[in-house]
Amino acid sequence: MEEPLELLNKHVKEKGLKSSAQRNVILTVMMKEKKHLTVDELYSLIKKENPEIGIATVYRTIHLLCDIGIVRELAISNAVSRYEILADGNHHDHLVCVSCGKFVEIVSSLIEKEQAKIAHTHGFILTNHTHVLYGRCPECSKEVSR
Amino acid sequence: MEEPLELLNKHVKEKGLKSSAQRNVILTVMMKEKKHLTVDELYSLIKKENPEIGIATVYRTIHLLCDIGIVRELAISNAVSRYEILADGNHHDHLVCVSCGKFVEIVSSLIEKEQAKIAHTHGFILTNHTHVLYGRCPECSKEVSR
DNA sequence: TTATCTGCAAAGCCTTTGCACTTAG
DNA sequence: CTAAGTGCAAAGGCTTTGCAGATAA
């Protein structure tokens, strides 16, 4: 597997862009956290060590990383998007509790294959996907009502 | 199948709320369009016949309809959410072109079943889901690069 | 009558952008 | 040296909210 930092570097060179310390910091933090972070959460983590980095740079970098395919955006109903590192061999989707917000990663090669088949049927070249299941987790299901 | 308007009515009574002409108009337009509308698109359609309805009411009604389960929100990467009527027996997901925004509805009972199984495994009670495949449609794939 | 609903406009969030400065190549 | 990157603050979208008037039950 190719390292995210290498991928970023490669892309930057190919596009005639310049590397920057900030982008490396941002990507490194994302790799370290390995979680589904909102931009704000990511920004807070980054500020601890690098308070000089601005949130505009975080947004710009996140978009760049998504374009390259190193990071994926999770669009979530009634909430801001979350972002996560896409390490290959780590295809997964999400199960979210609509009550408490709990996040569970799920894996299904069966669904992966079916997706590819469907996209192919329609002549699409798949670049990404979002699959989020919403429901009530065991704890929240216990509560009488809402 | 239960009619959306009846469902709304029933819910309103159960919760001790009041019915309103505006909500009926909004739901009726959604049923007629049967499309994946943004709030703004929906608002424009509504204004043609009922210019007095405000956008705040459209937002409030959409949320109510989503809570009841008559309407579903489609959270989409890099774009505002779209909403669609959930007619039962019409379970489907979406394939979106990242280049031109084209929307294709897809159906897969295989994926539906797998989702239910996964949620069950984790003890979740499924209420909803979003499954969006992103890619390049046949037309946009022809373009040399971007 | 009275709690809900509505329209309006203001306020709030989150995200993007313009600009002057900095920096990699 | 020059184009790309950055931080800041302002501007922009989209969505929510406070409030006074309207309305269903």
Side-chain angles (χ1 to χ4, degrees):
Chain A
M1 128 175 204
E2 203 151 7
E3 283 301 320
L5 277 168
E6 284 173 23
L7 270 172
L8 173 57
N9 233 309
K10 190 175 137 197
H11 178 93
V12 162
K13 273 190 188 144
E14 282 173 359
K15 295 276 178 181
L17 305 179
K18 295 174 179 175
S19 65
S20 84
Q22 289 91 330
R23 291 207 280 235
N24 290 340
V25 167
I26 294 168
L27 177 52
T28 302
V29 171
M30 290 204 76
M31 288 166 63
K32 190 173 149 204
E33 291 298 319
K34 285 196 175 70
K35 282 286 181 323
H36 327 86
L37 300 171
T38 62
V39 169
D40 207 58
E41 289 166 353
L42 178 58
Y43 179 54
S44 298
L45 287 171
I46 290 165
K47 269 202 300 193
K48 287 183 192 165
E49 302 291 329
N50 301 76
E52 75 288 356
I53 294 182
I55 197 163
T57 298
V58 176
Y59 274 104
R60 286 186 280 230
T61 300
I62 280 277
H63 292 327
L64 175 66
L65 296 174
C66 283
D67 286 349
I68 301 175
I70 296 176
V71 161
R72 146 167 97 159
E73 175 182 357
L74 301 174
I76 299 169
S77 289
N78 291 314
V80 296
S81 290
R82 289 178 173 274
Y83 299 85
E84 66 179 357
I85 286 279
L86 271 186
D88 61 6
N90 181 25
H91 290 197
H92 65 268
D93 296 311
H94 303 86
L95 184 53
V96 181
C97 178
V98 294
S99 181
C100 69
K102 184 182 299 161
F103 245 82
V104 179
E105 290 191 358
I106 58 180
V107 178
S108 170
S109 58
L110 194 155
I111 290 179
E112 296 285 329
K113 281 176 202 154
E114 186 70 2
Q115 286 180 164
K117 195 188 292 178
I118 291 169
H120 184 256
T121 300
H122 292 275
F124 273 59
I125 295 172
L126 269 196
T127 56
N128 188 11
H129 73 265
T130 307
H131 192 178
V132 184
L133 306 184
Y134 299 94
R136 302 193 138 247
C137 72
E139 289 72 43
C140 293
S141 295
K142 285 177 196 158
E143 290 161 29
V144 185
S145 73
R146 62 151 199 146
Chain B
M1 130 180 203
E2 203 149 11
E3 283 299 320
L5 277 167
E6 285 172 23
L7 270 172
L8 173 57
N9 232 310
K10 190 175 137 197
H11 178 93
V12 161
K13 273 192 187 141
E14 282 173 358
K15 295 276 177 182
L17 305 180
K18 295 175 179 176
S19 65
S20 84
Q22 289 92 330
R23 291 207 279 234
N24 290 340
V25 166
I26 293 168
L27 177 51
T28 301
V29 170
M30 291 203 75
M31 288 166 64
K32 191 173 148 203
E33 291 298 320
K34 286 195 174 73
K35 284 287 183 321
H36 327 86
L37 300 171
T38 62
V39 169
D40 207 58
E41 289 165 352
L42 178 58
Y43 179 54
S44 299
L45 287 171
I46 289 164
K47 268 203 301 194
K48 287 183 191 164
E49 303 291 328
N50 301 76
E52 75 288 357
I53 293 182
I55 198 163
T57 299
V58 176
Y59 274 104
R60 286 186 281 230
T61 300
I62 280 277
H63 292 328
L64 176 65
L65 296 174
C66 284
D67 285 349
I68 302 175
I70 296 177
V71 162
R72 144 167 99 159
E73 174 182 358
L74 302 174
I76 299 169
S77 289
N78 290 315
V80 296
S81 290
R82 289 177 174 274
Y83 298 86
E84 67 180 356
I85 286 279
L86 272 185
D88 60 5
N90 181 25
H91 289 194
H92 65 268
D93 296 311
H94 302 87
L95 184 54
V96 181
C97 178
V98 293
S99 181
C100 69
K102 184 182 299 162
F103 245 83
V104 179
E105 289 191 358
I106 58 180
V107 177
S108 171
S109 59
L110 194 155
I111 290 179
E112 296 285 328
K113 282 175 202 154
E114 186 70 2
Q115 286 180 165
K117 195 188 293 178
I118 291 169
H120 185 256
T121 299
H122 291 276
F124 273 59
I125 295 172
L126 270 197
T127 56
N128 188 10
H129 73 264
T130 307
H131 193 179
V132 184
L133 307 184
Y134 299 93
R136 302 194 138 246
C137 72
E139 288 73 43
C140 292
S141 294
K142 285 177 196 158
E143 291 161 29
V144 186
S145 73
R146 60 150 203 148

